[in-house]
Amino acid sequence: MRLQKFLARAGVASRRHAEELIAAGRVTVNGAVVAEMGAKVDPATDEVAVDGAPVALPDENVTFMLHKPAGYVTTMSDPQGRPTVAELVDVPAHPGLFPVGRLDTDTTGLLLFTTDGELGHGLLHPRQHVTKRYLALVEGALTEADARRLREGVTLEDGPTLPADVRILADAEAERAAALIGDDGASSGQRQRHGGKRSRAALAQGGTYVEVGLREGRKRQVRRMLAAVGHPVIALHRQSFGPLDLGELPRGHARRLTDAEVAALKAAAR
């Protein structure tokens, strides 16, 4: 484990501040000062200290599920002062907690946090193809022909996508999707395209609710795929990640996963 990551995981400082501590010569490993940013330590055998005080990792990893609201940046700190998802989880009580992947600022829904680097890496590794399911409200009437194109995979600027699981929602399913998405996930892109003159409610009247399941995780992929078939996203919500569903968790709240849920995630990440 890189030394600065070890210090952050142990709750000594953020990674950026940990680098400053290392550069200042305040960190020792097995009694020797270490000033190299790329230095690695073995938490099981190496003795790390800051200003002479021993530092150790927490005894166990923790994993949380957050129901992310719109308007929060998926980062632990933001130099621009924007609201971050770190404000919605108990980071001080669980040093080293980090988000597993990202959700766009406008996107709502299930975001995982963990202190388990191996689990986080496994869930995001392209080889694992862990499915994430999204509910989207898109502009216009998305047809079965459009859905078929998405199921077959579309070509984006960074190459062809894997086939997606796509279902057009209607009647009770569309009503449920509307309730789950809520009314705070309006896309900034939608506002820009319409100059702020058309409300989300007005666009929704002629729009379509759709469920999309992806097995890869490129930047803004759901939005780009739907735009590629002529239906820009009005609002987007992630309802599930692998075996976990958001359930009834209120927006803006987080909860610690049970041992069974963590085991299910680890199985999906193998």
Side-chain angles (χ1 to χ4, degrees):
M1 182 184 296
R2 290 186 181 275
L3 182 55
Q4 55 265 48
K5 180 179 179 180
F6 176 93
L7 295 173
R9 172 80 175 81
V12 172
S14 67
R15 287 201 195 185
R16 183 176 301 176
H17 186 210
E19 291 175 354
E20 294 173 358
L21 293 174
I22 295 168
R26 296 171 59 186
V27 181
T28 60
V29 177
N30 299 325
V33 173
V34 176
E36 297 178 9
M37 292 304 148
K40 293 186 177 182
V41 295
D42 183 344
T45 59
D46 290 329
E47 297 181 358
V48 180
V50 177
D51 295 333
V55 175
L57 296 182
D59 291 335
E60 62 175 351
N61 285 307
V62 294
T63 304
F64 284 83
M65 172 194 296
L66 169 71
H67 187 162
K68 177 189 172 297
Y72 285 79
V73 183
T74 304
T75 183
M76 300 307 282
S77 63
D78 183 64
Q80 300 179 40
R82 294 171 297 181
T84 73
V85 292
E87 300 168 22
L88 304 174
V89 291
D90 193 358
V91 176
H94 304 285
L97 205 61
F98 66 92
V100 179
R102 309 178 73 85
L103 288 179
D104 299 334
T105 306
D106 294 327
T107 302
T108 62
L110 197 163
L111 182 64
L112 293 175
F113 287 79
T114 189
T115 58
D116 188 338
E118 183 177 355
L119 174 61
H121 177 75
L123 288 169
L124 296 177
H125 198 287
R127 182 179 61 241
Q128 305 310 117
H129 296 314
V130 178
T131 299
K132 281 80 70 178
R133 294 199 174 275
Y134 298 81
L135 300 173
L137 170 61
V138 302
E139 295 184 24
L142 191 144
T143 66
E144 274 299 327
D146 298 323
R148 193 177 310 115
R149 288 179 60 193
L150 295 169
R151 294 182 192 120
E152 294 170 352
V154 296
T155 299
L156 304 177
E157 62 271 21
D158 52 356
T161 69
L162 292 176
D165 298 326
V166 180
R167 289 198 311 123
I168 298 171
L169 305 179
D171 303 325
E173 285 191 315
E175 292 179 6
R176 180 175 182 274
L180 290 170
I181 292 174
D183 59 6
D184 72 341
S187 162
S188 58
Q190 169 244 315
R191 292 192 293 269
Q192 292 168 3
R193 282 192 302 279
H194 299 284
K197 296 179 181 179
R198 297 186 66 190
S199 69
R200 171 174 157 177
L203 286 166
Q205 290 181 358
T208 307
Y209 285 96
V210 60
E211 180 187 78
V212 179
L214 289 186
R215 293 177 290 129
E216 54 185 343
R218 304 187 207 174
K219 186 176 182 180
R220 299 178 67 83
Q221 185 172 346
V222 177
R223 295 180 185 274
R224 291 191 292 142
M225 289 180 69
L226 288 164
V229 296
H231 298 280
V233 167
I234 299 170
L236 185 64
H237 174 85
R238 183 157 71 190
Q239 184 61 25
S240 68
F241 192 124
L244 299 186
D245 188 88
L246 195 58
E248 301 299 320
L249 185 65
R251 189 158 300 186
H253 289 250
R255 70 169 178 84
R256 184 170 175 173
L257 298 187
T258 66
D259 291 344
E261 289 172 325
V262 173
L265 281 178
K266 288 183 176 179
R270 282 199 289 267

